Amino acid sequence: MMKLSRRDFIKISALTACSLVVSTGLSGCANIWNPIDVKFSHGVASGDPLTDKIIIWTRLTPAEEIDFLRLGYEVSKDKNFTTLTHSGEITTNKTEDYTVKIDLQNLDEDTVYYYRFKSNEKVSIVGKTKTLALNPASVKFAVFSCANYTNGYFNAYKDVSNLSDVDVVLHLGDYIYEYGMYDNDDGITPAYATQNATKINRVLPSDNDTELLILEDYRKRYALYHTDEGSLAIHQNLPFINIWDDHEFADGMYKDGTFNQDVTEGNFETRKLGALQAYFEWLPIRPFEEGNDQIIYRSFDFGNLVSLHMLDTRVLARDIQLSYSNYFDSVGNFDKASFLVDISDTSRTMLGTEQLTWLQTKLGTSTATWQLLGQQVLMAKMFLPAELLTLIVQLTTDLTTAERTAISTQLNTVLVELVTIKTRILAGDPTVTALEEARVTTTLPYNLDAWDGYAYEREVLYATINALGKNVVVLAGDTHNSWANELKDSNGNAVAVEFAGPSITSPGIEEDVGLPDMTSSMQFEGAITLLIDDLKYTNLNQRGYMLVNFTESEVVTTWNYLDNTDSTTYKIDTTRTKQLKSLVGSKSITTI
Ligand SMILES: [Fe+2]
């Protein structure tokens, strides 16, 4: 490790060293000197834009470990930096992994700013960002979730980096994945979504190829993800508003544990604190309050058009998820009565009292036309016929090839039968028997990790929305597939609409269920859209992103899909592009 001379130390100590620097304007930027070589290897980024503030970010890579590094920054309204609006010198240090965050103040609304960093003779790439407008006529969001490095290239990021009309990127979580190349238990079984990595040249580097457990592991994984071509490009061109999901920590996170940690993997709290620290170091997120890296729920106002409320349904307060496996006895009988008691428990929470109260207050006080909830998991009731769900759950377990084939065949047969019955019911066929009707009306929630597993709290939120008479749009990630849902309360009253986006690269339900090609996938999509009443659209086998555009009268969501993520050469699969809209006040979804 590089040691500083006493003279160096006095020079550097005179400068501010903290995790978030506030810049109100111009100050000196004379001699930006470090005793060792440095590089800007991870690009630049901006985030959490307001009408007068934006965070800018970079990371210095020193040639060797050193206590402190100095750098300068410059901000301008023109890309040639002819006139600077902000500049200054700052330090970063080893204890914050040489990352830099500056909260630019006193900016003009609805204005493009360019920014760059300098250290020694090195200059970073030039970043471009934009403040929010005080009174916008429209707002367009690009919405992402679930980027898995080993499973593909972040072409979805690349595609949006070229769009000139996107205002802000919303990232709904799983910005990184915690897995190594192999299962930590045996060091042999390929870890989640790594099977394609060698073929597509996305193997994890040898100093970071095991499951993330400590701060240094998480830091290295963020560093890796920031080197992706698409990641560099989108952060360079657009401001982000991030929230985390589970994989920024570990699979299946809840407030005091995770499904992906055993006794050999150390202390959970230490792991969680390391993950939290790396997240705040490596992403351009403004702390809820200085020094607090536990709370990420926060609001952004886009004039009086959209109030965006970003939520944490995952880490802050979530009670442990229910699991179907706990309700089957040794011979496979399902204890439905116990399950229904547990899932109806009014104390179960994802948001926690404090966050729910905060959200209710925000919804009550905002006068914006639209209230937008940016959050992690599906809110809609995704209830599948029980016999179908049983087969799908079996397909998510470890099976032999023969067992998997047998269950897949059975699933296809059941699906055809259920679709036929539902079609006859919808057509008013009087010959449908009570037994047939029960096959499609006896349903259970598919995903207990989502709002379906916390139904009482969902009803409380729905009651708030309806009592306030607000136009609410919910965004979700997490599933790796696309969904559009009409949200209804337990009495069937329309409450809001939900748009959920596909993953950037992570494999979706098509791998769990074993949908081998586009044709079988589309058949499955059609079947479950018919069987789930509130589901209006789904895509179950493609990667991409959503564009969500708000005006005073409507919200239009466009799902764009990539033809591949195996290389950086791609195009949009325009045959599957989908657009749906919801009119203000309608609480329903219509095709364009
Ligand atoms: Fe994910």
Side-chain angles (χ1 to χ4, degrees), residues 31-44:
N31 180 22
I32 306 159
W33 170 87
N34 293 295
I36 59 170
D37 192 25
V38 295
K39 287 191 290 194
F40 291 96
S41 304
H42 303 99
V44 297

Side-chain angles (χ1 to χ4, degrees), residues 215-405:
L215 169 62
E216 200 53 39
D217 297 338
Y218 285 97
R219 284 172 164 170
K220 287 178 181 171
R221 190 59 55 85
Y222 280 104
L224 173 69
Y225 275 51
H226 273 275
T227 61
D228 175 90
E229 191 183 308
S231 176
L232 284 166
I234 195 167
H235 280 301
Q236 184 180 8
N237 287 324
L238 286 164
F240 269 54
I241 297 176
N242 286 78
I243 46 174
W244 55 53
D245 197 6
D246 51 341
H247 290 285
E248 285 86 350
F249 302 82
D251 183 41
M253 274 289 288
Y254 52 98
K255 68 181 175 193
D256 44 19
T258 159
F259 294 163
N260 191 18
Q261 172 138 352
D262 60 36
V263 288
T264 68
E265 294 181 331
N267 178 278
F268 167 74
E269 273 303 317
T270 304
R271 184 184 196 182
K272 179 178 165 182
L273 290 175
L276 280 165
Q277 183 174 335
Y279 186 86
F280 272 87
E281 287 170 348
W282 278 84
L283 291 173
I285 180 172
R286 182 180 291 111
F288 183 82
E289 56 196 12
E290 181 58 31
N292 185 339
D293 58 5
Q294 305 268 341
I295 295 178
I296 55 165
Y297 61 79
R298 60 206 192 281
S299 289
F300 298 83
D301 289 324
F302 297 77
N304 215 30
L305 182 62
V306 179
S307 283
L308 167 66
H309 312 292
M310 301 295 277
L311 307 180
D312 178 1
T313 63
R314 182 59 75 176
V315 178
L316 184 68
R318 172 188 280 246
D319 290 318
I320 189 169
Q321 297 85 331
L322 298 181
S323 173
Y324 278 116
S325 60
N326 294 332
Y327 298 90
F328 283 98
D329 66 17
S330 57
V331 291
N333 295 315
F334 179 55
D335 184 354
K336 189 172 180 180
S338 295
F339 174 75
L340 291 178
V341 167
D342 289 348
I343 204 166
S344 307
D345 183 347
T346 58
S347 70
R348 286 182 60 71
T349 183
M350 281 204 296
L351 296 174
T353 307
E354 205 169 302
Q355 184 177 194
L356 178 60
T357 304
W358 168 86
L359 177 59
Q360 289 171 318
T361 304
K362 285 287 179 183
L363 291 171
T365 54
S366 170
T367 56
T369 303
W370 298 96
Q371 304 297 315
L372 179 60
L373 306 187
Q375 52 94 56
Q376 294 80 7
V377 291
L378 277 183
M379 194 172 284
K381 288 195 188 85
M382 301 294 288
F383 280 49
L384 284 171
E387 61 181 295
L388 185 62
L389 179 65
T390 305
L391 295 169
I392 291 174
V393 169
Q394 285 180 55
L395 285 171
T396 63
T397 61
D398 288 334
L399 297 169
T400 65
T401 305
E403 288 168 337
R404 184 168 294 280
T405 303

Side-chain angles (χ1 to χ4, degrees), residues 345-519:
D345 183 347
T346 58
S347 70
R348 286 182 60 71
T349 183
M350 281 204 296
L351 296 174
T353 307
E354 205 169 302
Q355 184 177 194
L356 178 60
T357 304
W358 168 86
L359 177 59
Q360 289 171 318
T361 304
K362 285 287 179 183
L363 291 171
T365 54
S366 170
T367 56
T369 303
W370 298 96
Q371 304 297 315
L372 179 60
L373 306 187
Q375 52 94 56
Q376 294 80 7
V377 291
L378 277 183
M379 194 172 284
K381 288 195 188 85
M382 301 294 288
F383 280 49
L384 284 171
E387 61 181 295
L388 185 62
L389 179 65
T390 305
L391 295 169
I392 291 174
V393 169
Q394 285 180 55
L395 285 171
T396 63
T397 61
D398 288 334
L399 297 169
T400 65
T401 305
E403 288 168 337
R404 184 168 294 280
T405 303
I407 295 171
S408 289
T409 304
Q410 193 184 350
L411 185 143
N412 283 329
T413 305
V414 166
L415 204 58
V416 170
E417 290 171 1
L418 294 175
V419 165
T420 304
I421 295 167
K422 184 70 183 272
T423 305
R424 288 167 57 209
I425 291 171
L426 291 174
D429 182 347
T431 69
V432 175
T433 66
L435 196 61
E436 287 175 325
E437 187 162 348
R439 288 184 68 189
V440 294
T441 56
T442 305
T443 58
L444 286 168
Y446 162 59
N447 185 356
L448 302 178
D449 189 67
W451 282 87
D452 270 337
Y454 303 81
Y456 179 79
E457 189 173 56
R458 178 172 60 189
E459 284 301 309
V460 172
L461 178 58
Y462 284 177
T464 300
I465 293 169
N466 273 347
L468 295 169
K470 299 287 182 174
N471 296 300
V472 173
V473 175
V474 177
L475 302 175
D478 179 59
T479 69
H480 306 170
N481 298 112
S482 302
W483 315 86
N485 304 301
E486 291 176 351
L487 304 181
K488 293 176 183 147
D489 66 17
S490 56
N491 296 319
N493 300 313
V495 176
V497 297
E498 178 175 47
F499 302 119
S503 65
I504 297 164
T505 59
S506 303
I509 195 174
E510 73 278 5
E511 286 212 352
D512 293 338
V513 178
L515 302 170
D517 52 38
M518 187 75 85
T519 304

Side-chain angles (χ1 to χ4, degrees), residues 139-164:
V139 177
K140 183 178 275 191
F141 300 98
V143 183
F144 293 98
S145 56
C146 301
N148 187 306
Y149 183 90
T150 53
N151 204 47
Y153 291 86
F154 303 155
N155 295 336
Y157 285 157
K158 184 75 181 297
D159 206 63
V160 169
S161 75
N162 295 318
L163 301 181
S164 60

